[in-house]
Amino acid sequence: MIKGSCLCGDICFETEATPQGTSMCHCGQCRKQSGGIWSSAYVLDTELTITGDVSWYHASDLAKRGSCPRCGSFLFWKAHDEDTTSFALGAVDGPTGLKLSKHIFTASKGDYYDIADGLPQKD
Ligand SMILES: [Zn+2]
Ligand SMILES: [Zn+2]
């Protein structure tokens, strides 16, 4: 069981599924919304329970981004045409039991850090 919450606690989520696709995203939208790199994993929508009133931002024709309207925590990313939702690993309470598998959108990464953990990188 993985449980997570935003900074103020108004929004909580949990899943009993084993999350897939652990990644760190360096894209421009994640940089802007999170203030840095956004780490996430995804589960099927049917396996994710969200409580609280998420503010969904229609970020592009591809996806929407969910955050807490009160504290601003960036918690969810969801493609319009997929039946999965990604959640922020940084918002998980307690150990995640997961390991990152890759870096994505590395061509958009900031110039103030290097990626040196040896994980696969995708532009
Ligand atoms: Zn909040
Ligand atoms: Zn991103």
Side-chain angles (χ1 to χ4, degrees):
M1 172 73 84
I2 285 180
K3 293 186 176 187
S5 56
C6 65
L7 178 60
C8 74
D10 279 2
I11 295 175
C12 298
F13 61 92
E14 64 181 50
T15 183
E16 292 187 28
T18 301
Q20 307 294 314
T22 52
S23 67
M24 292 185 106
C25 186
H26 303 259
C27 83
Q29 291 192 350
C30 285
R31 288 174 60 187
K32 290 287 185 184
Q33 194 170 18
S34 71
I37 308 164
W38 197 62
S39 301
S40 69
Y42 65 82
V43 293
L44 288 171
D45 296 337
T46 53
E47 297 172 331
L48 183 66
T49 302
I50 299 173
T51 54
D53 191 13
V54 176
S55 174
W56 288 102
Y57 171 62
H58 185 100
S60 70
D61 289 340
L62 180 70
K64 60 183 180 179
R65 295 166 166 269
S67 60
C68 172
R70 184 176 175 213
C71 71
S73 296
F74 168 31
L75 299 171
F76 307 111
W77 184 95
K78 176 162 180 50
H80 298 311
D81 61 353
E82 291 177 6
D83 60 356
T84 59
T85 297
S86 297
F87 60 88
L89 291 176
V92 171
D93 296 308
T96 64
L98 301 170
K99 290 290 180 190
L100 288 171
S101 62
K102 62 188 173 187
H103 295 271
I104 58 176
F105 292 99
T106 53
S108 303
K109 84 172 196 58
D111 63 359
Y112 52 91
Y113 61 88
D114 296 314
I115 302 171
D117 57 13
L119 293 173
Q121 299 185 25
K122 291 186 176 182
D123 283 353

